[in-house]
Amino acid sequence: MKIAVAQNNLFIARDHLVLQIDLKTSDKELDSIFKIAGVSKSNAQKLLKGNYNSIKEDGWDLATHENKIIRFDRSLSGLNENPQDAPFEITTHLPEFAGEPGYPVDVKYGVNKYAHATVFALPSGLTRFILPGYTRARRVFLSGNFNHWSTLKGAMKKGDGGWIIDVKLEPGAYEYKYIVDSRWITDPNNLQLIDDGAGNTNSLFFKYNYTIKLAGYPSAKKVVLAGDFNKWNANELLMDKKSNGWEKHLFLGDGKHIYHFLVDEKWVADPANPKKLKDDDGRLNSVLNLGEAITFKLSGHKNARNVFVAGNFNYWRPDEFSMDKTSDGWTITTTIIPGNYQYRFVVDGDWITDPANPHYAAEDGKINSFLAVRPNHTFKLKGHANAKKVTLNGSFNNWEENGYIMERKGDSWTIDFYLKPGKYLYKFRVDGEWMIDPGNKLWEQNDHDSQNSVLWIE
């Protein structure tokens, strides 16, 4: 990508991204080239003061310095994030994820595998996609599940040696392709492909959300991270050696992860993580819980000896999550992955619903309190102010007759829900009378000579 002021330039040269700056230009022009190159503002300020080593924090190396012209380069050929002992065989490592075609979900973990690291995170938080070559192409687009596979959005900017675009991505797994003059292609530098379940092959990229570190061990030759998320593979996740230890960048999905390190094949639990769990052989593993921190509170019951919370998030184990006594009741904060849950409190052996929660649901014929963790949709039914009971029923609970009891808020009945991508059918039940959602124009005929409302979650 070329900047037409002075000798400032950003371009792709074989397997390097080259940044050239002219210190004789104005601060505004320099800020522009630094922003385009993805150099953090603080490091740009240090560089202009003569501290050229600071830019290394952004992955750049000083190449040449002649008069007021400075050139830095960033190698795209290294596999520093994912060093491997053996070549990655694409045909035997096609991951399979649940979800709609082109929209992966329920990913436990992921690491990127590039021949040339042409997709990487910038200090700004944006993710940069680079497609080297194709300089004769008229238009190139980046399309993926992050822009709903649009053929109009994602226009890349042409520069010297290739095409560049920066996009905002949250941590997760993303499928993508490039559209070069209306021709769809996978990323030629991405070694990781995925069958989308609809007969297509897409490139797969993980936006990382976690760094696992191991301090010390400067003399170790090889340190590997292994866990239940990668089936304890002792050769896959080689860690990178740093000045003060070892580290590994990766994406980890919400949930409970058990792991350990292999330092020159010697088993080591994470000394920085106090949460440990013994395996069947008595060896310690470290435990990492990722998800939403949820606080359960129960007022009163000051004379109770033991109070627990249990639900389908812990398979209804009655003595696992012990609550702490407070001045006005009991409380506990625990990590739960996104989803819809039912729960109860266990007070000295007696199971009770949550008196402070107006939402209820049924499971195995029992009425339990209902909780949506990290909800992404709110069902709402306006009116019916005199109704005594309004429930939500649908394909997400196999049309359980009791449904989910909704709460009266303002002029509507509402309930929050967490729904994965896909199609859902549902109805409301107002004092026993079934009705489709009047606020939703989408519906379809059912087998009972009536209609169901239709909801699509992308």
Side-chain angles (χ1 to χ4, degrees), residues 217-232:
Y217 298 96
S219 301
K221 296 180 180 179
K222 179 181 176 181
V223 178
V224 179
L225 168 66
D228 59 349
F229 44 83
N230 76 332
K231 298 180 180 179
W232 303 102

Side-chain angles (χ1 to χ4, degrees), residues 67-88:
N67 295 326
K68 293 291 184 178
I69 305 298
I70 308 175
R71 179 175 287 189
F72 301 88
D73 69 32
R74 176 174 184 161
S75 174
L76 302 177
S77 61
L79 287 173
N80 293 329
E81 290 186 345
N82 298 284
Q84 298 173 60
D85 291 339
F88 186 75

Side-chain angles (χ1 to χ4, degrees), residues 95-109 145 171-175 194-196 204 206 251 253-254 376 418-422 424 457-458:
E96 296 181 0
F97 298 145
E100 295 294 314
Y103 293 84
V105 296
D106 294 336
V107 182
K108 290 185 178 180
Y109 86 106
N145 60 315
Y174 296 95
E175 297 180 34
I194 180 172
D195 183 345
D196 73 351
L204 178 65
F206 292 98
F251 169 76
D254 289 326
N376 59 354
Y418 172 82
L419 296 172
K420 296 178 181 179
Y424 298 91
I457 298 294
E458 296 182 348

Side-chain angles (χ1 to χ4, degrees), residues 149-168:
W149 295 100
S150 173
T151 58
L152 300 175
K153 301 176 182 178
M156 303 182 74
K157 296 180 181 179
K158 187 177 183 180
D160 292 352
W163 301 77
I164 294 178
I165 188 173
D166 299 335
V167 297
K168 184 178 181 180

